[in-house]
Each structure stands twice: as C-alpha cells, then as structure tokens.
Amino acid sequence: MVELRGKYAIAGVGLSRFGKVPGTSTMGFTLEASKRAVEDAGVPMSEVDGVLVLMPAVMGEQHGWAARVAAYLGLEPSFCTTLDMGGATACGAVQVAMAAIEAGYCSTVLCAFATQNWPQGVPLQLFGSELQLAYGDVGAMCLMGHIKRRQQYEYGLPDELYGRIAVTWRSHAQRHPEAQMRKPMTLEDYFRSRWVVEPLRLFDCCPNTDGGGAIVVTSLERARDLRRPVVRVIGAGQSHSAEMIEPARTAREQWGGTAAARRAYSMAGIVPNDLSCAQIYDAFTPRVVHDLVAYQLAAPEELNGAFANGTFTFGGRLPCNTAGGLLSEGHLSGFGHVREAVRQLRGECGERQLPDAKLCLVTGYGGAPHEAPPTVSYSALVLARDV
Amino acid sequence: MFTIEKPLPRGTEDTAPFWEAALRGELRMQRCSSCGHIRFPPATLCPRCWSETYEWSLLSGKGKVFSWVVVYQSQHPAFNADTPYNVAIVELEEGPRLHTQLVDCSLEEIRLEMPVEVVFEKVRDDVALPKFRPRR
Ligand SMILES: [Zn+2]
C-alpha cells in the first residue's frame, strides 16, 4: 500500500456564519465557507483543482451538487464529486482528497458542506423507510435514543454521565464567541430539560444549525510554502456498519467505530495515549460515550468519574470538543471539529488554546441513522502539528 | 379540519409479501434457500451468501424488546396527536430485529428484554402493521 502518512496537510479551514440564520441558502453558505478556507490557506483560487462536497441532506437529492458548487465558485476542477456520508463526510473527504492528490488527479482540494434547515418554500423532508415511518419512527433521534438505552442497560451508565457531557461541552463554548449555545448550563439544568425522545432530553441533542464549513487539503511541500503553521494529516480511517441489523451484533458490535479507529491509529503509528486532544462527533450525547469507548479513550465504567474529575476538559488528561462540539458550538457536520483541531494545533484558539497541542483525533459519524434498519459510517483523522 | 395522513407502507416488489402476510395475520420474512439465513429488511438477495433464492417463511411472532424510546416531540405532524408514544425494536426468536411499536401496555410497563408477541393492527382496509404486546 502507498504510504500516505504525513504527506498531506490541511492548509486552510473556514466556517461561514452559523446558527439560526434565516433567509440564507445552502449554496450561499457553501461559497462563504469555501472562500474563507481558501483565504485562510493563502492559496490562489486558481490553484484549487479538486472539489468534494457533502450532499445537503435537508434539500433532498441534489444531482451534480459538487460540480454545481465548483461552477458557482468559478472553478474548473479536474476532480470533483459529491460525497454522502453525512457527519462522517468531513473526515472522509480529507481521506479522499489525499488519495486523489496521490493519484495525480488534482493537487489542491476544497472539501465543503452547508446546511440551511428551513429552505424557503421547501417542505420538511420526511426521512425514513416504509418499515418504520408508519410507527411514527421518524428522524435520527429514535436511533440515538435506542443507542443511549442500550448503553445504559449494558454498562449501567447513569443519566448523570450524559448530563456531565452536555455541561462540560457547554462550558467550552463559553470560551468560543462564535458558538451557537453559550448560555451557562448546570447538571440541574440538564435534568430539568424536557424529554424530546426519551431517554434523550433536550440537552442531549445538538441545536439545528444553519451554516457551512470548508477545508483545503494539499501536499505537505505546498503547505510549507504557505503562510499558516502546517497541520499534517498522519492518520485516516473509516468503517461502515449496519448497527442493530444483525442479531449477532449485540453489545460489542455497538461500538461500530472500532475498525475506523484501528485504521486511523495504525496509519498514524500512534496509540490513543499519545493524543493531546480529541474532537468527538457529538450530535447527541450517546455519541460521545460511543466514540470515547470505540476509540479506546476510556472504558465505559470509567466515563462518569472521568467527566466528573475533568479528564475531558481544559487541564485534564484529554481535552475534547474544545469549541463546544456539535452540542454547543453548533451542528457543523464535523467541519467545525476539523477547524477546531487545526486551529488548536496551529495555536490560534485564544482563551481556549491548549498549552501544547501536538496530536488531535477527529471523529465523524453519519449516513442513514433515520432508516429502518439504520446504517451509518464512521470516519476518523489524526492530525499533527508540523515540526 | 386539515389533517396530515400518516405515511403508510405502499410496498414494493421486495416488501409487498411482508405486508400482504401481515394483512393475513402472519409474520413472514425471507429465509435463504441456500444458507438458511433469515433476513430483514426484505431484499432480493441474501447478505450472507448472495443467493437470490428464498421462501417467505412463517415466523413464531415471539421475541423480546431489544430497545424502546418514547417520542414526546413529534418529528412529523401526522404524529403530533399521538405523543407521547413508544417506538421499539423487537428482536425475534428467529433472530431478526424489526422497528415497531408496543401495544397493550403503558409506557411505565415497558422493560428491556421483556417477552412480547406479534399482533396485527389494521390501519386501513389494505394495510395491517405488525406490533407487539407483552407475553403474559
Ligand atoms: Zn444465504
């Protein structure tokens, strides 16, 4: 196998305005974020010859979406395609970008996404299959509730743990002026928040976020010529499982990202203990439990104590979701996580800057959690400060 | 008053036999003629051996609650009036798991691993939904 470890870098990252931003468009956010990422990298736009864009879920099936984005940006890419792994796409696109550059298809790749949750005049998209919709089993939240239910049943995890996750990330968002959810939250607030889909409370769920994000991937050599501190991609992995379909898949098989983790760590040549921080895909609190275990960052029974004693916050052993995560920064489909990881490694995070960030894990998760049976993809990146 | 209809299954060539069986009061799934694997969701080939030969096998209708959730905030207007309601995954004795709903018990009575059996709820002349009730 061709060795890609450390040959490629994330040269630029950018987010558009985000939050509740009515009257905007998915394309508008995509362009805004793309421009910011390319400017952040400091490459001329003419150099961008690869374009990878996440299929916008809320708008439904978009034919030729990535080529459309490229056309709106005035680019004529030699490699361009729409990717469809939902929240696993940010990390997955970086992996595809590296392979495309290695293959010689292109040299500088723009990876982008955007969401406008309430596009004008377009009715709410009804996701799901005929095997579930008639039961009122609609959207991703039912699966996330099932996952929390099984985690709690199999490992005796208390509700308090999920509350501590939400509260910890919220405290991180207070150090992040752009974050969507900054109002201080206590464990009491968590327990007082209403059931949405029990066992999920409102504060187990991220907000709906309008906005976009983008990442620029190029070769290590090219990145070293640019003005920003260089962040190398040293590990990448993905795995695709059909959680909860196959009866043989019980407890252990719920940790569906273990193969993605193994692949990313093995490519990076690291062990989980080497990490200085992690950005965990957390559209819902049970996802944090899942990934901390699947990526071998903690055992299930240690989690509640670890959150209580600050293991995963500033000053702890492994600060995670330092910008507040999807739960508090906002649902930026993992592009927020990649941006935060890159900026931590560059030392650009201001009052939430970690003192000596060298290695950061980013995880992604998405696909069709709203289908019966659900199918999802896992993806991961290990990013390193260039030395 | 304006009402939004619930999205009922229409069936495809893959799934129609499942729904037709339900209308007759039977729970049937495809059993692979080559390796014996019972698969769900319905599909034209077996995910274990890719055989396209199968029979619609009659199942016991018995299983246990693998998981359940309670929807308080409706995710679709057609279900607004039903909240709070349960949505469950039942694991059948024969192995497959299906997304369904539990009936004949209150939300407080539902337990994980609770033994259940299938009942068929006719929601329209031509559609019956397999649901599950506690086995007592
Ligand atoms: Zn077979």
Side-chain angles (χ1 to χ4, degrees):
Chain A
M1 199 168 98
V2 183
E3 176 65 74
L4 296 185
R5 179 183 192 276
K7 285 176 75 174
Y8 297 98
I10 295 182
V13 285
L15 295 178
S16 70
R17 292 163 292 163
F18 63 91
K20 292 236 181 299
V21 197
T24 47
S25 72
T26 302
M27 182 60 87
F29 283 136
T30 310
L31 304 183
E32 192 175 311
S34 297
K35 184 180 175 189
R36 288 182 185 181
V38 171
E39 285 180 353
D40 180 57
V43 291
M45 67 178 267
S46 58
E47 214 175 284
V48 178
D49 55 0
V51 176
L52 302 171
V53 192
L54 166 59
M55 166 112 68
V58 175
M59 292 166 73
E61 188 184 1
Q62 293 292 306
H63 295 289
W65 179 247
R68 205 167 157 72
V69 167
Y72 273 69
L73 285 167
L75 301 174
E76 291 180 36
S78 50
F79 184 74
C80 177
T81 192
T82 303
L83 299 179
D84 182 22
M85 294 197 287
T89 302
C91 295
V94 172
Q95 194 181 15
V96 173
M98 293 193 294
I101 301 171
E102 181 72 23
Y105 296 152
C106 49
S107 62
T108 297
V109 181
L110 172 72
C111 311
F113 106 97
T115 300
Q116 163 49 261
N117 286 285
W118 296 275
Q120 297 164 55
V122 179
L124 184 72
Q125 178 85 27
L126 181 56
F127 287 115
S129 81
E130 60 169 288
L131 298 168
Q132 109 217 66
L133 288 178
Y135 301 103
D137 184 348
V138 184
M141 256 186 261
C142 291
L143 174 66
M144 295 304 149
H146 290 309
I147 289 175
K148 181 176 175 188
R149 182 83 73 195
R150 292 299 302 186
Q151 287 174 349
Q152 293 196 283
Y153 174 71
E154 283 166 28
Y155 298 98
L157 303 178
D159 256 14
E160 210 175 62
L161 163 62
Y162 298 85
R164 289 190 203 284
I165 293 168
V167 167
T168 306
W169 288 186
R170 180 61 60 86
S171 73
H172 297 178
Q174 277 148 31
R175 302 180 183 216
H176 182 18
E178 287 171 276
Q180 189 174 348
M181 309 295 285
R182 300 190 69 209
K183 196 177 158 201
M185 187 200 293
T186 63
L187 212 46
E188 228 171 42
D189 295 331
Y190 169 83
F191 278 108
R192 267 201 303 261
S193 73
R194 63 188 160 84
W195 294 121
V196 179
V197 173
E198 195 235 307
L200 299 178
R201 294 183 172 82
L202 182 65
F203 291 158
D204 285 307
C205 311
C206 69
N208 284 310
T209 303
D210 305 322
I215 303 163
V216 177
V217 180
T218 191
S219 68
L220 182 61
E221 295 71 45
R222 182 69 185 107
R224 282 177 173 160
D225 294 338
L226 302 169
R227 59 197 165 105
R228 290 285 188 214
V230 174
V231 172
R232 289 180 299 145
V233 184
I234 64 166
Q238 48 181 279
S239 62
H240 308 267
S241 71
E243 292 181 330
M244 294 191 168
I245 294 187
E246 292 280 315
R249 293 183 178 176
T250 53
R252 230 149 278 294
E253 300 272 342
Q254 280 188 58
W255 311 113
T258 48
R262 195 179 60 241
R263 288 170 185 140
Y265 291 150
S266 131
M267 175 175 164
I270 64 156
V271 294
N273 254 339
D274 298 332
L275 293 166
S276 4
C277 58
Q279 310 296 336
I280 305 294
Y281 197 88
D282 60 335
F284 300 89
T285 54
R287 290 243 66 270
V288 178
V289 171
H290 181 108
D291 279 7
L292 287 175
V293 174
Y295 287 79
Q296 303 159 46
L297 304 171
E301 59 277 10
E302 294 167 1
L303 281 170
N304 192 34
F307 270 94
N309 72 23
T311 300
F312 301 115
T313 190
F314 296 95
R317 179 174 58 81
L318 185 73
C320 291
N321 295 28
T322 42
L326 280 72
L327 286 167
S328 280
E329 180 186 38
H331 189 309
L332 291 155
S333 288
F335 282 75
H337 276 348
V338 173
R339 182 180 79 150
E340 177 68 6
V342 165
R343 296 182 68 195
Q344 284 289 352
L345 294 167
R346 287 174 177 174
E348 293 176 345
C349 283
E351 65 170 312
R352 64 176 193 282
Q353 181 61 49
L354 300 168
D356 190 26
K358 290 194 187 83
L359 270 182
C360 185
L361 170 74
V362 186
T363 75
Y365 171 91
H370 45 70
E371 289 283 340
T375 52
V376 290
S377 298
Y378 297 85
S379 61
L381 294 177
V382 180
L383 304 180
R385 193 170 72 195
D386 194 24
V387 282
Chain B
M1 203 183 91
F2 178 68
T3 55
I4 296 170
E5 284 185 24
K6 289 179 180 170
L8 296 183
R10 292 176 190 174
T12 65
E13 62 176 350
D14 307 339
T15 59
F18 174 79
W19 297 115
E20 286 159 13
L23 199 56
R24 294 192 303 269
E26 297 171 352
L27 188 65
R28 285 183 185 269
M29 290 184 180
Q30 291 155 296
R31 182 193 299 271
C32 175
S33 308
S34 173
C35 76
H37 176 56
I38 299 175
R39 65 177 175 265
F40 196 75
T44 51
L45 58 73
C46 170
R48 298 221 174 146
C49 74
W50 283 14
S51 165
E52 293 171 80
T53 322
Y54 56 83
E55 45 139 4
W56 282 93
S57 184
L58 182 66
L59 304 187
S60 68
K62 289 180 179 154
K64 57 186 183 172
V65 175
F66 179 71
S67 180
W68 92 98
V69 298
V70 183
V71 177
Y72 282 83
Q73 181 180 314
S74 169
Q75 305 297 303
H76 184 271
F79 297 94
N80 289 357
D82 296 352
T83 58
Y85 64 89
N86 80 78
V87 166
I89 298 176
V90 164
E91 183 167 300
L92 298 170
E93 275 182 354
E94 292 86 351
R97 291 178 193 151
L98 75 170
H99 289 229
T100 184
Q101 208 160 40
L102 304 172
V103 293
D104 293 348
C105 62
S106 69
L107 293 172
E108 293 71 32
E109 289 171 302
I110 304 174
R111 296 284 179 273
L112 276 178
E113 312 291 341
M114 181 169 87
V116 290
E117 63 191 1
V118 72
V119 290
F120 296 91
E121 192 176 294
K122 204 159 179 182
V123 288
R124 209 174 57 196
D125 276 358
D126 56 343
V127 181
L129 301 176
K131 296 192 174 183
F132 289 78
R133 68 175 176 212
R135 262 187 281 157
R136 300 187 202 272

